[in-house]
Amino acid sequence: MQRVKNIDYDEDDVYSEEEEYHEEPSYTDEDRESFTALTPVVRAELQESGLQASDKEIEEALWHYYWHVGKSVAYLKNSRTPRPQQPQQGKKDKEKPKSKFDQAAEESAKKAGCMIPFPSTASDWFQGISWSVIPLGIQGELVPAFAAYPRPQLLGGSSKLAKLAEERRKKAAASQAAPAAPSGALGSLDRLSKSKDVKENVLPPTMPEPRKYPIRQKREPTPPPKEPSPEPEEATEDLPDLRASPTEFAKTMATHAAPSQVAEAAETHMDSIFRSSSNEDPFKGPSPDDTVMRAQWHSKGINKHARKPSDGLLIKKTEALKLEPKIKSKGLDVPKLWAEGRASRKSAAAFVVIGHVDHGKSTLMGRLLLDTGAVAQRDIDKYAALLIPHTFVSMLINARRYQKQATELNKSSFALAWVMDTGSEERERGITVDIAQHPFSTLTTDFTVLDAPGHRDFVPNMLAGASMADLAVLVVDANQLESGMKGQTREHILLAKACGLERVVVAVNKLDATTPTAWDENTFQSVRSGVQKLLTSVGFQDPNISFVPCSGLSGTNVVNPAPSTGPTAWVASTSGTILQQLESSPPTSPPEELVKAPLRLQITDVFRGSITNPISVSGRLAAGNVQIGDTVLTQPSGEKAIVKGIEISAEPREWAVAGELVTLHLSDIDPVHLRAGDVLCSVDKPVAIVRNFVAQVTAMEALLPQGVDVHVGRLHVPGSVAALISTVDANGEVVRKKPRVVKGGDTANVKVSLQEGAPLAVGDRIILRSGGSTIAAGQVDRTGS
Amino acid sequence: MQADRRRINAPAGGTAPPTFTFADHPDLLRRPTRTRKPDEHRKIFLRTGIVPSASGSAYYEVPPAKPAPSTGSLVPTSSSLKITCTVHGPRPLPRNAAFSPNLLLSTHVKFAPFATRQRRGYVRDASERDLGVHLETALRGVIIGDRWPKSGCEVVITVLEGEEDGWFGEGREKGGGWGMMSVLAECITVASAALVDAGIDCVDLVSGGTAALVKGEGGEGEAVVLDPAPAEHEVTAACVVAYLQSRDEITEMWMKGDAGDSTEGLMDQAVRAAVMSRTVLVEAVKEGLKVGGDVQPVNGAPKGGEGKGKDVDMTG
């Protein structure tokens, strides 16, 4: 990553150092005169000592030493004697672009009247200067302070620097044979070391030895040692060689050694340990496994199987196998079959159980299923047994619910509810979260129970349930009518109506717990009048409403009629049991046109049915028919799938028609393309994906152009009320165009736009919710923008 | 001293087989004698870069004397030192550590449980921590700490085989902790090699040396010996120095016992021992630098005269 901004330098910001500094020293005429005069002198001097130098070198030396012949000669001698390549190197230094540091150093050197190879020792510095005038007393010995120091270098163990060091090390090793010119950056530093060599060669005796042990030698009080303390230099001279060869143990650590040497070391080590002298490679021959394999290869049995595939037939076979056998459609005429079997078939109905939270919906349904034999008592007992460890749950319930009743009863009450509440979260919290469906059948009708959650947080799930049902069972707690009327009893009634349900059975529950006495008829009557008023105000017709007093927990008047004696004597005269009421409500048979219409199925749930059926969807067939082998299209993903199997009430079927709650096993589709709320439709006439539509809705609260959640059965899409087109009266006459607000209770045509496309058709029932409450419900009038 | 509760410790006791006195084995219970001259150092094997995962590492060994006296016993008569040193760092200090303008050096010296005749625990005991402090003092003087602000460096020394504190025949109470002195000197040398291997800037190579004042033959008189093996002598005083030869400086000195008049001589001899061990150190460091180039023979004969009295270019 580049951390520095790529700054665009101006042309004149970047100056070339070479242009400025890489110049030959220009000599004046005066200089040249001096050169001609002095060069022969210097050459003569040099030739005395048997050395040669070119004119240019001599001139350079003279120029740098200000025409001092002695110094120039000394310099040239120095540059000649120790290393033959020295002058050449000096030249190279010249040619290199000088750094500013070097430039400054040179400047100061010139000012000081000094020479180019920097004198680093005192003797160099003061060479040629007479000391005679200085009195002996004040003459001092000058000891180089840092002569012996190694050149400090910035190195370290940190990875980058270590790498650099490693590289440098390698370079040094490579250049050992042929020393190259010093790198530019260290030019001036290198010069220091050069001058040191010069000193050693020119004036060896004048340089006093650096004195060691300075402090201890000053101190004399201790008795003098027998022999003078050895000079370190001498000591190093006769130092014995102390390097030992490594022991066997140390050899094992020999990481520096070449591989062969390591092997050798290891070998000797192993030899010394195990005293085995065999040097045979144990991996030379074939391994025992190889031997066995080879022997088996000769056997006829293996060859028979192994030789066959070589003729290429198998490839074809496997290719043929790759194609999954397609599910073949039997090509049934489903509407005809349906029409033929209509008389012999039992009628079917699905009902949704609605009501306020904790009014006992799930318990009532559990009782219904238990008493009709759809669920065995054994299962209920199992749930009851499971409940026992959940004492905290029952304690919670104690506080919340029937405080008068025994704990045992509480447990059993939940055991009933657990028939429907299968999720662990549902069971732990004691409330229903998602809709649950369970089939049961009586002598005349096949029923499907859709248990809807009562809690207001899960209204969307309740909507999904209501959209699949034919009728509703409204459960009202006789003791807590008021809480329900304010809460979800009211909202659920509104939503049930909005979903198009016409018939409702009101189960007045928990009559066995009324105060002051159980099965109080007055309580029932007051509840009845209250709920009836509400239902009629919403729009349910009186004949479609029936009231049943019951107790879900004890099971009185659910399936079995209440005893005709005792406090429940009045019950029998009021109405039949809940089951009777459900059976008496005429199950709507779908019209033939609907069965022949193109397929529409809103997916309620996508799940993994079993290993053989990896992808299954469930939902209510809203229109059309489907049979095994049909190709269906999912919207909005637009993927095709093949129907592998059909189940209704956990029984396999060949086909299904509109109005039935089915489970379809699909194949040839990835589960990512299927979501709850998607629509399965026929390939020929797929449902359109809609982003804008006009709907006629009845407002429950003041409706403004605002953001809303649009619910269509299981599907819910965020969107907004784009415009209020007009308010209409009950007959569909336009009352007012472009109203600013639609008041609660009014009906209006509104334009709704969705954030993402949803499969919608004209006539679909929509519910607009916002902020957790329902604000309007209605039907799609026309789609498109 | 807290007990080590985290492990199931072996019973305290010896790591070497027990020795029994036999009349027909008189050699067994004879104190080993010094075969070297008084100013002769034992041979040393030193190698850097033995632990690839550490920033720097070194292995130091004093092999046992070549002609092993055949006493017929399994008990070794003289110890052979084996020390490994690893250097981790310089590496950044932990986030919660206070700012430090210098390299924070920490040293750990630990004897392996089997390193000495008397079994060592897994937790560092007082003497080991003491050695660690001495070592830190010795190294602190050579490391150029201000080049590594906000960094830490750990020097971890494991003594695989330690010097004996005294002759085992005298009983373990007699051991005066003289072995520690030799171990410290060698720890300093090996740590110096490992520091160079880690590429940590130092002003010089520091090397350790020991000298001891021992009772002469027959218990008469006293003599100063270099690099004492405590099993061979009756030591009255000993001195360890960490010495920088190029600078003629001492970064650490540890004197034990009463040397009397010969204190100065003892120190000088210790310095001399350090100078001797430095020759090996220099060679080992040079050898370590040649990694990647031509491979040095494992136990190649040292080249005569090379690296004597010369400065080492510390391009670790």
Side-chain angles (χ1 to χ4, degrees):
Chain A
M1 195 177 84
Q2 193 173 7
R3 288 177 186 279
V4 186
K5 254 193 203 168
N6 214 347
I7 302 163
D8 218 5
Y9 284 111
D10 290 334
E11 284 270 314
D12 36 1
D13 281 347
V14 188
Y15 60 90
S16 163
E17 283 189 302
E18 287 179 35
E19 278 170 19
E20 277 185 46
Y21 303 115
H22 186 57
E23 278 177 18
E24 289 290 313
S26 57
Y27 302 122
T28 60
D29 289 350
E30 220 177 291
D31 292 342
R32 285 183 216 289
E33 270 180 36
S34 310
F35 284 143
T36 46
L38 292 172
T39 309
V41 182
V42 174
R43 175 152 302 146
E45 292 245 10
L46 281 173
Q47 272 166 356
E48 268 180 28
S49 17
L51 290 169
Q52 289 290 337
S54 69
D55 277 8
K56 204 181 173 193
E57 275 168 23
I58 295 170
E59 276 174 25
E60 227 171 75
L62 282 170
W63 193 79
H64 284 305
Y65 286 103
Y66 285 94
W67 296 280
H68 190 291
V69 176
K71 279 182 183 177
S72 307
V73 170
Y75 163 68
L76 286 168
K77 270 185 187 170
N78 290 347
S79 61
R80 287 309 155 109
T81 353
R83 287 184 209 163
Q85 71 263 42
Q86 201 79 21
Q88 201 185 349
Q89 218 162 335
K91 219 163 113 192
K92 267 187 187 168
D93 275 358
K94 274 266 149 51
E95 282 161 9
K96 255 179 274 153
K98 286 167 193 162
S99 71
K100 281 205 166 178
F101 171 77
D102 283 12
Q103 184 83 358
E106 230 172 70
E107 289 288 335
S108 66
K110 275 182 204 161
K111 254 180 228 165
C114 200
M115 53 288 200
I116 268 303
F118 268 26
S120 68
T121 56
S123 53
D124 264 9
W125 191 273
F126 294 105
Q127 193 211 3
I129 291 172
S130 158
W131 291 98
S132 56
V133 286
I134 299 164
L136 266 173
I138 63 164
Q139 266 189 29
E141 267 181 359
L142 287 164
V143 180
F146 297 101
Y149 278 26
R151 180 158 43 87
Q153 286 179 347
L154 266 173
L155 288 174
S158 82
S159 57
K160 267 187 194 167
L161 285 172
K163 211 181 279 171
L164 278 174
E166 179 74 18
E167 273 173 23
R168 196 185 302 169
R169 208 185 294 163
K170 275 180 191 162
K171 225 183 269 171
S175 65
Q176 248 178 358
S183 61
L186 294 168
S188 56
L189 284 171
D190 286 352
R191 234 180 282 155
L192 285 173
S193 58
K194 236 181 276 166
S195 72
K196 191 171 132 197
D197 281 2
V198 167
K199 168 211 76 177
E200 276 172 10
N201 281 293
V202 174
L203 301 162
T206 55
M207 185 62 207
E209 274 297 322
R211 204 180 285 167
K212 305 274 175 169
Y213 303 120
I215 298 165
R216 255 184 283 157
Q217 283 212 338
K218 265 185 218 161
R219 274 198 301 144
E220 288 294 320
T222 44
K226 285 165 218 161
E227 52 178 27
S229 65
E231 283 284 323
E233 294 300 324
E234 286 167 32
T236 51
E237 296 286 311
D238 59 6
L239 275 182
D241 177 32
L242 287 174
R243 300 179 71 201
S245 55
T247 56
E248 292 292 331
F249 175 72
K251 276 177 193 166
T252 62
M253 296 197 187
T255 51
H256 288 180
S260 63
Q261 281 166 326
V262 172
E264 194 190 323
E267 227 165 70
T268 53
H269 187 59
M270 297 306 276
D271 282 356
S272 66
I273 290 171
F274 297 116
R275 311 203 182 279
S276 84
S277 56
S278 78
N279 277 328
E280 268 181 23
D281 180 13
F283 297 101
K284 212 162 57 185
S287 75
D289 276 0
D290 286 346
T291 318
V292 172
M293 290 289 276
R294 198 166 298 157
Q296 281 180 347
W297 185 249
H298 291 305
S299 96
K300 280 175 186 169
I302 285 182
N303 285 355
K304 210 162 52 188
H305 294 298
R307 294 246 169 102
K308 267 191 179 173
S310 55
D311 56 5
L313 197 73
L314 189 78
I315 302 163
K316 279 181 195 169
K317 274 186 181 173
T318 43
E319 271 173 2
L321 279 176
K322 267 180 201 165
L323 292 172
E324 217 171 276
K326 228 172 183 174
I327 303 121
K328 279 195 180 159
S329 171
K330 285 183 181 171
L332 303 170
D333 187 0
V334 176
K336 199 179 159 195
L337 284 172
W338 170 74
E340 279 170 2
R342 195 190 282 180
S344 59
R345 242 191 344 266
K346 274 201 271 188
S347 58
F351 62 91
V352 64
V353 190
I354 57 175
H356 192 66
V357 66
D358 281 345
H359 278 204
K361 292 181 297 299
S362 298
T363 305
L364 183 66
M365 287 310 109
R367 170 60 65 185
L368 194 63
L369 293 172
L370 176 65
D371 288 356
T372 52
V375 175
Q377 178 67 44
R378 192 177 59 237
D379 294 333
I380 306 288
D381 290 346
K382 192 174 71 192
Y383 294 139
L386 276 173
L387 262 170
I388 291 162
H390 291 256
T391 43
F392 77 97
V393 174
S394 44
M395 280 165 66
L396 193 86
I397 294 144
N398 272 348
R400 260 177 31 158
R401 305 179 75 176
Y402 326 118
Q403 288 178 347
K404 296 178 292 182
Q405 296 188 4
T407 351
E408 199 58 40
L409 272 179
N410 281 331
K411 278 178 192 164
S412 85
S413 92
F414 265 80
L416 281 172
W418 278 14
V419 174
M420 302 306 289
D421 298 347
T422 48
S424 62
E425 195 195 3
E426 292 182 328
R427 289 185 172 180
E428 226 159 76
R429 291 174 64 178
I431 59 167
T432 310
V433 173
D434 205 349
I435 52 162
Q437 65 182 60
H438 207 291
F440 72 94
S441 52
T442 61
L443 289 174
T444 57
T445 317
D446 288 331
F447 283 106
T448 304
V449 186
L450 295 160
D451 188 22
H455 200 275
R456 68 190 162 95
D457 289 352
F458 308 116
V459 168
N461 294 334
M462 177 266 164
L463 280 173
S467 67
M468 293 161 71
D470 297 315
L471 68 152
V473 174
L474 174 65
V475 180
V476 182
D477 189 343
N479 309 302
Q480 300 177 16
L481 179 64
E482 284 312 306
S483 71
M485 295 299 252
K486 282 184 205 133
Q488 266 58 55
T489 302
R490 186 184 152 76
E491 189 175 8
H492 278 190
I493 289 168
L494 284 166
L495 291 172
K497 181 69 189 160
C499 285
L501 298 179
E502 295 297 333
R503 171 148 174 77
V504 61
V505 175
V506 182
V508 182
N509 199 11
K510 300 187 189 176
L511 274 172
D512 56 343
T514 51
T515 46
T517 55
W519 297 99
D520 184 22
E521 194 176 356
N522 294 332
T523 313
F524 172 71
Q525 291 302 341
S526 67
V527 169
R528 179 182 184 149
S529 61
V531 174
Q532 189 147 23
K533 203 185 285 173
L534 182 63
L535 285 171
T536 43
S537 75
V538 167
F540 284 99
Q541 305 295 318
D542 264 346
N544 288 337
I545 306 168
S546 50
F547 286 86
V548 183
C550 67
S551 166
L553 193 58
S554 61
T556 314
N557 211 28
V558 177
V559 173
N560 306 319
S564 52
T565 53
T568 58
W570 57 273
V571 172
S573 60
T574 321
S575 66
T577 61
I578 289 180
L579 193 62
Q580 282 163 1
Q581 284 295 334
L582 288 172
E583 281 179 325
S584 68
S585 56
T588 49
S589 183
E592 197 152 345
E593 308 84 64
L594 196 63
V595 173
K596 286 179 177 170
L599 171 72
R600 295 285 183 273
L601 182 146
Q602 190 180 43
I603 298 172
T604 316
D605 198 8
V606 182
F607 57 97
R608 184 188 166 87
S610 61
I611 295 166
T612 48
N613 304 314
I615 311 161
S616 302
V617 296
S618 66
R620 183 186 166 98
L621 269 178
N625 58 72
V626 66
Q627 60 178 305
I628 291 175
D630 275 1
T631 304
V632 293
L633 189 76
T634 65
Q635 286 285 53
S637 61
E639 293 288 319
K640 283 179 189 173
I642 295 173
V643 178
K644 216 166 115 190
I646 301 171
E647 271 183 33
I648 295 174
S649 308
E651 281 171 19
R653 292 281 187 91
E654 291 280 315
W655 47 268
V657 294
E660 286 178 311
L661 294 174
V662 296
T663 299
L664 301 181
H665 303 305
L666 302 180
S667 68
D668 293 4
I669 191 168
D670 199 77
V672 294
H673 302 306
L674 295 167
R675 283 175 309 175
D678 286 1
V679 171
L680 284 187
C681 52
S682 61
V683 182
D684 312 333
K685 294 179 179 173
V687 64
I689 305 296
V690 175
R691 292 194 68 147
N692 295 294
F693 61 89
V694 175
Q696 190 175 58
V697 296
T698 305
M700 309 199 180
E701 294 168 17
L703 182 65
L704 294 157
Q706 60 180 320
V708 289
D709 261 356
V710 180
H711 291 256
V712 186
R714 187 61 153 178
L715 179 74
H716 56 100
V717 193
S720 62
V721 176
L724 306 175
I725 297 168
S726 59
T727 51
V728 292
D729 62 9
N731 300 326
E733 298 291 321
V734 173
V735 177
R736 189 178 169 187
K737 282 188 176 174
K738 292 191 180 175
R740 291 203 180 156
V741 63
V742 180
K743 279 180 233 150
D746 285 359
T747 306
N749 288 318
V750 295
K751 191 176 166 188
V752 180
S753 62
L754 304 174
Q755 276 182 18
E756 53 196 68
L760 274 179
V762 173
D764 278 351
R765 295 183 176 272
I766 58 157
I767 286 147
L768 307 182
R769 305 189 85 228
S770 171
S773 63
T774 307
I775 54 172
Q779 272 182 302
V780 176
D781 211 18
R782 50 176 203 275
T783 56
S785 50
Chain B
M1 172 85 194
Q2 76 280 18
D4 181 10
R5 291 171 192 278
R6 299 200 180 173
R7 296 168 193 81
I8 301 171
N9 283 302
T15 57
T19 330
F20 303 102
T21 319
F22 292 111
D24 53 341
H25 278 296
D27 292 349
L28 201 61
L29 283 179
R30 190 180 298 158
R31 180 190 273 276
T33 49
R34 185 180 175 109
T35 52
R36 297 171 278 143
K37 282 181 260 155
D39 60 346
E40 194 180 337
H41 202 285
R42 284 175 293 186
K43 299 255 182 189
I44 298 164
F45 174 73
L46 182 61
R47 161 154 295 154
T48 57
I50 52 152
V51 181
S53 57
S55 310
S57 56
Y59 173 70
Y60 183 103
E61 187 179 70
V62 176
K66 265 284 136 63
S70 57
T71 54
S73 164
L74 287 171
V75 184
T77 47
S78 63
S79 55
S80 68
L81 259 156
K82 290 184 180 67
I83 299 177
T84 60
C85 176
T86 53
V87 173
H88 301 280
R91 53 185 178 193
L93 288 176
R95 210 167 268 280
N96 52 3
F99 173 79
S100 155
N102 294 315
L103 183 77
L104 286 185
L105 181 72
S106 62
T107 52
H108 300 264
V109 178
K110 182 75 195 84
F111 280 77
F114 48 81
T116 49
R117 212 174 278 278
Q118 187 69 22
R119 190 179 177 84
R120 299 278 183 155
Y122 288 97
V123 179
R124 281 190 297 159
D125 63 10
S127 64
E128 285 163 341
R129 273 176 285 161
D130 193 29
L131 279 184
V133 173
H134 279 298
L135 180 65
E136 191 182 347
T137 323
L139 298 182
R140 191 159 292 246
V142 279
I143 292 177
I144 308 172
D146 51 0
R147 292 215 179 137
W148 305 102
K150 299 188 279 182
S151 330
C153 173
E154 275 175 42
V155 178
V156 182
I157 284 187
T158 308
V159 183
L160 296 173
E161 197 170 340
E163 189 88 79
E164 283 177 52
D165 269 349
W167 181 47
F168 69 93
E170 286 180 323
R172 63 178 71 120
E173 293 80 17
K174 277 295 192 85
W178 302 112
M180 298 295 245
M181 312 285 275
S182 299
V183 169
L184 174 62
E186 280 131 15
C187 282
I188 291 165
T189 311
V190 71
S192 182
L195 281 176
V196 172
D197 191 38
I200 294 170
D201 300 356
C202 299
V203 294
D204 191 12
L205 283 173
V206 63
S207 58
T210 356
L213 194 66
V214 298
K215 284 184 183 155
E217 289 292 320
E220 295 146 12
E222 285 183 330
V224 177
V225 290
L226 276 188
D227 183 31
E232 300 167 349
H233 308 285
E234 269 188 73
V235 184
T236 53
C239 175
V240 187
V241 293
Y243 180 64
L244 315 184
Q245 194 191 9
S246 311
R247 294 167 74 106
D248 190 28
E249 281 176 9
I250 288 177
T251 55
E252 152 78 10
M253 199 198 74
W254 183 20
M255 179 96 73
K256 198 170 172 180
D258 184 14
D261 291 350
S262 44
T263 308
E264 189 101 356
L266 195 59
M267 273 157 51
D268 282 345
Q269 288 302 306
V271 167
R272 205 171 140 68
V275 168
M276 285 173 168
S277 62
R278 184 189 159 103
T279 60
V280 181
L281 175 61
V282 167
E283 289 299 320
V285 167
K286 276 184 177 172
E287 205 171 290
L289 290 181
K290 285 176 187 157
V291 185
D294 52 340
V295 175
Q296 286 288 107
V298 177
N299 39 354
K303 287 152 200 143
E306 194 185 302
K308 278 179 186 167
K310 270 193 182 175
D311 291 326
V312 183
D313 202 15
M314 308 254 299
T315 47

